[in-house]
Amino acid sequence: MKVPKILIAFLVLAGFLLWWILSIDKHDDWLHCNIKLTLERFEEDSKARNIYSHTLKLDSLTEFDWDSLIYFSNPIDSDDGTFSNAEISKEIGIKITGRTICDYCDRLIFIKNGEVVSFVDLDSKDNKDPRIRIKGGEESGATVNSNIFLKKDATFIVYESCKKGNYGGFVFLPVNKLEQFKTDLENSCYK
């Protein structure tokens, strides 16, 4: 049986479109779940054993190679486009494609050789995901809400913040700059 050329062309085009759609969005759902589960485990361990902080080597959660991380915090309604992919791309000089950063989200963008290899959004609105704050990176120049970390510096002390009785989510402090942020650990929920 002879297959019509139009059918072959259609299947090739459909395959190309599927590949293109999947390659545009670099959001890593597996990493999203892995981060969420790790933070939930930290919380359970802190409550059960009264441990106020944990050490997290971020590359232990990734299944891809990267050399730097850009952290963006979007703590406000971004309908004004301040945190659109186009704006982030313009500011950091690296093209960001795929879904736009959501309101009240924290975005971790993993870079390798100047290109995005993956990113993950943690949506803290309505407690969908844990709220995170990563301190101590070098300013990326993008916004006051962003920092960049080299992979070698992406080992963190992680704790849950309860400053003055208000829950503030998980705070990540770089181990290599811990002395600079030592007083922050006094805000741990489990100290």
Side-chain angles (χ1 to χ4, degrees):
M1 177 176 172
K2 190 173 179 183
V3 179
K5 290 181 182 180
I6 190 83
L7 179 60
I8 293 172
F10 175 76
L11 291 173
V12 169
L13 181 62
F16 174 76
L17 286 174
L18 180 62
W19 169 82
W20 183 73
I21 289 168
L22 293 175
S23 68
I24 277 184
D25 191 353
K26 303 244 186 222
H27 189 271
D28 192 327
D29 293 326
W30 182 88
L31 178 58
H32 177 260
C33 289
N34 203 11
I35 290 171
K36 220 173 146 171
L37 288 172
T38 298
L39 295 178
E40 287 170 2
R41 191 181 74 239
F42 282 178
E43 182 176 33
E44 289 170 7
D45 194 41
S46 293
K47 288 177 182 175
R49 299 181 2 185
N50 203 28
I51 298 172
Y52 68 92
S53 69
H54 300 269
T55 302
L56 174 64
K57 190 170 181 172
L58 197 55
D59 68 347
S60 71
L61 302 180
T62 60
E63 292 188 320
F64 49 85
D65 195 21
W66 54 281
D67 54 34
S68 57
L69 162 75
I70 299 175
Y71 163 70
F72 278 91
S73 178
N74 189 11
I76 55 172
D77 187 342
S78 61
D79 290 338
D80 63 0
T82 303
F83 286 92
S84 70
N85 286 339
E87 186 65 27
I88 293 171
S89 296
K90 178 181 168 192
E91 294 288 344
I92 65 173
I94 299 171
K95 186 169 177 73
I96 307 290
T97 59
R99 60 184 81 168
T100 299
I101 189 169
C102 55
D103 295 339
Y104 307 100
C105 277
D106 297 291
R107 177 172 281 185
L108 306 177
I109 304 170
F110 295 88
I111 308 294
K112 177 70 177 177
N113 297 326
E115 293 189 19
V116 175
V117 290
S118 185
F119 71 86
V120 64
D121 290 336
L122 294 169
D123 182 356
S124 61
K125 188 174 184 179
D126 302 322
N127 295 317
K128 290 178 192 167
D129 292 324
R131 172 82 173 110
I132 66 168
R133 286 180 293 143
I134 303 179
K135 296 184 171 187
E138 301 303 319
E139 290 184 11
S140 68
T143 69
V144 295
N145 293 318
S146 66
N147 286 283
I148 189 166
F149 299 87
L150 297 177
K151 184 177 184 176
K152 68 178 184 67
D153 298 328
T155 300
F156 301 94
I157 298 296
V158 180
Y159 72 95
E160 286 184 90
S161 175
C162 286
K163 191 173 185 176
K164 297 181 182 175
N166 295 319
Y167 182 74
F170 289 89
V171 177
F172 290 53
L173 304 173
V175 169
N176 67 336
K177 295 185 178 178
L178 193 55
E179 199 60 40
Q180 178 181 342
F181 295 102
K182 202 168 192 171
T183 58
D184 284 27
L185 286 171
E186 294 173 12
N187 297 319
S188 173
C189 295
Y190 302 102
K191 187 150 177 136

